[in-house]
Each structure stands twice: as C-alpha cells, then as structure tokens.
Amino acid sequence: MSVARRRDTAPEVALRKALHAAGLRYRVAYPVPGQRRRTIDIAFTRIRLAVFVDGCFWHGCPEHGTRPRANSEWWAAKLAANRARDADTDRVLAELGWFVVRVWEHEPTQEAADRVRAAVGASQASATRPSARTEEKT
C-alpha cells in the first residue's frame, strides 16, 4: 500500500489538464477544513466545490471494484473503512457549505470534466444571485 500513489494519479492529472484547458483554475490537494489528514483532490475554494477522483479498487466501484482472495477479511474491512471515510468527508464538507463531486477513475476524462464544469457553473450561478439581505428595498 505504501507504493500506491495518494495524489497525482493518471486519472486525476488527466482531469486537471482538461479542467485547466477549459479555463478553470483550482487548488490541488487542498486540506479538508477541520480534518488534518484528509485532502480534496481538486478544490474550487471560492465557490466551495470539492472534486474527488476515486480509484475503482480503493473506493469500491460497483462496476470495477475487486476483492482480493488472499486475506479477504482484512481487505473487506479496509475497503469498507475507505467508503465510510468517503461518506464522512462528504458529510463534513456538506456541513461546511461545500458541494462535492466524486468521479470514478474509469469515467472518460471529458465526461468527468463536463460534469465538473456543470457543477462549477451551477455553483457560480447560485453565488451570484442576490440574497434577501443584499437586495435593495424600495
């Protein structure tokens, strides 16, 4: 497990390149607020959008996730803990007002980039709408 990359995986880098080519700017490996040991793969901090690129094996993809036969009980617990940590991270970020997008490593890069761009657009649109407090009273 120490050999497994934690950041800058091929799917993550490909998604970042597609987003950058589309004119989007972001932070990489941004710390999850209040969670010292957790990071957001791609963070749009101004609009509070977190993008995670999840590996099929490590995060239990329903299509491509596999279970090793050797030491299967330990691996089952390990992968379940990973999914529980993902859910907890999503909950923490949602409580802090962040929107979370999760992308599987097997998703085509352009489709994933389109999903992220749509989320960025939706977040920017909701951020620019005037709230009840900022509207002028006539």
Side-chain angles (χ1 to χ4, degrees), residues 9-10 21-22 26 46 64 79 82 103 107 115-116:
T9 62
Y26 46 81
R46 289 185 182 174
H64 302 106
L79 299 177
N82 288 352
V103 175
E107 285 185 56
R115 251 189 338 127
V116 172

Short mmCIF file of all heavy atoms in Angstrom, two decimals, residues 9-10 21-22 26 46 64 79 82 103 107 115-116:
data_model
loop_
_atom_site.label_atom_id
_atom_site.label_comp_id
_atom_site.label_asym_id
_atom_site.label_seq_id
_atom_site.Cartn_x
_atom_site.Cartn_y
_atom_site.Cartn_z
N THR A 9 -2.44 10.87 -9.54
CA THR A 9 -2.65 9.65 -10.30
C THR A 9 -2.97 10.03 -11.74
O THR A 9 -3.34 11.18 -12.02
CB THR A 9 -3.82 8.83 -9.71
OG1 THR A 9 -5.01 9.61 -9.80
CG2 THR A 9 -3.55 8.44 -8.26
N ALA A 10 -2.85 9.09 -12.65
CA ALA A 10 -3.09 9.38 -14.07
C ALA A 10 -4.50 9.93 -14.32
O ALA A 10 -4.65 10.93 -15.03
CB ALA A 10 -2.82 8.14 -14.91
N ALA A 21 -7.52 23.32 -19.32
CA ALA A 21 -7.70 23.69 -20.73
C ALA A 21 -9.04 24.40 -20.95
O ALA A 21 -9.16 25.22 -21.87
CB ALA A 21 -7.62 22.45 -21.61
N ALA A 22 -10.03 24.10 -20.10
CA ALA A 22 -11.33 24.75 -20.19
C ALA A 22 -11.33 26.12 -19.51
O ALA A 22 -12.36 26.78 -19.45
CB ALA A 22 -12.40 23.86 -19.57
N TYR A 26 -7.95 26.07 -10.01
CA TYR A 26 -8.32 25.31 -8.82
C TYR A 26 -7.09 25.10 -7.95
O TYR A 26 -5.96 25.41 -8.34
CB TYR A 26 -8.89 23.94 -9.24
CG TYR A 26 -8.05 23.29 -10.31
CD1 TYR A 26 -6.89 22.59 -9.99
CD2 TYR A 26 -8.38 23.42 -11.66
CE1 TYR A 26 -6.09 22.03 -10.96
CE2 TYR A 26 -7.59 22.85 -12.64
CZ TYR A 26 -6.44 22.16 -12.29
OH TYR A 26 -5.64 21.62 -13.26
N ARG A 46 -13.23 29.29 -3.88
CA ARG A 46 -14.12 30.45 -3.83
C ARG A 46 -15.59 30.05 -3.89
O ARG A 46 -16.43 30.72 -3.30
CB ARG A 46 -13.81 31.42 -4.96
CG ARG A 46 -12.50 32.12 -4.74
CD ARG A 46 -12.24 33.15 -5.78
NE ARG A 46 -10.93 33.74 -5.54
CZ ARG A 46 -10.36 34.59 -6.35
NH1 ARG A 46 -10.97 34.96 -7.46
NH2 ARG A 46 -9.19 35.07 -6.07
N HIS A 64 -16.21 -1.95 -11.27
CA HIS A 64 -14.86 -2.48 -11.44
C HIS A 64 -14.15 -2.86 -10.16
O HIS A 64 -13.03 -3.36 -10.20
CB HIS A 64 -13.99 -1.45 -12.18
CG HIS A 64 -14.55 -1.07 -13.51
ND1 HIS A 64 -15.14 0.14 -13.71
CD2 HIS A 64 -14.64 -1.74 -14.67
CE1 HIS A 64 -15.57 0.21 -14.97
NE2 HIS A 64 -15.27 -0.91 -15.57
N LEU A 79 -11.55 -1.84 2.78
CA LEU A 79 -12.30 -1.16 1.73
C LEU A 79 -13.60 -0.56 2.28
O LEU A 79 -14.02 0.52 1.86
CB LEU A 79 -12.57 -2.10 0.57
CG LEU A 79 -11.29 -2.63 -0.13
CD1 LEU A 79 -11.65 -3.60 -1.23
CD2 LEU A 79 -10.43 -1.50 -0.66
N ASN A 82 -12.66 2.62 3.93
CA ASN A 82 -12.43 3.68 2.93
C ASN A 82 -13.75 4.31 2.51
O ASN A 82 -13.87 5.54 2.43
CB ASN A 82 -11.72 3.12 1.70
CG ASN A 82 -10.26 2.78 1.96
OD1 ASN A 82 -9.72 3.10 3.00
ND2 ASN A 82 -9.65 2.14 1.00
N VAL A 103 -15.74 11.46 -8.84
CA VAL A 103 -15.51 10.93 -10.17
C VAL A 103 -14.78 9.60 -10.03
O VAL A 103 -13.80 9.50 -9.28
CB VAL A 103 -14.63 11.92 -10.99
CG1 VAL A 103 -14.28 11.35 -12.34
CG2 VAL A 103 -15.33 13.26 -11.13
N GLU A 107 -14.18 6.67 -15.46
CA GLU A 107 -15.01 7.57 -16.25
C GLU A 107 -14.16 8.26 -17.31
O GLU A 107 -13.03 8.66 -17.04
CB GLU A 107 -15.63 8.66 -15.36
CG GLU A 107 -16.77 8.17 -14.51
CD GLU A 107 -17.43 9.31 -13.75
OE1 GLU A 107 -17.87 10.28 -14.40
OE2 GLU A 107 -17.49 9.21 -12.52
N ARG A 115 -18.95 17.20 -16.26
CA ARG A 115 -19.72 17.18 -15.00
C ARG A 115 -19.20 18.22 -14.02
O ARG A 115 -19.97 18.92 -13.37
CB ARG A 115 -19.64 15.79 -14.37
CG ARG A 115 -20.93 15.06 -14.46
CD ARG A 115 -21.05 13.78 -13.70
NE ARG A 115 -19.88 13.04 -13.32
CZ ARG A 115 -19.63 12.65 -12.07
NH1 ARG A 115 -20.45 12.95 -11.09
NH2 ARG A 115 -18.56 11.94 -11.79
N VAL A 116 -17.87 18.31 -13.92
CA VAL A 116 -17.27 19.28 -13.00
C VAL A 116 -17.57 20.70 -13.49
O VAL A 116 -17.94 21.57 -12.69
CB VAL A 116 -15.76 19.05 -12.86
CG1 VAL A 116 -15.10 20.16 -12.07
CG2 VAL A 116 -15.49 17.70 -12.20
#
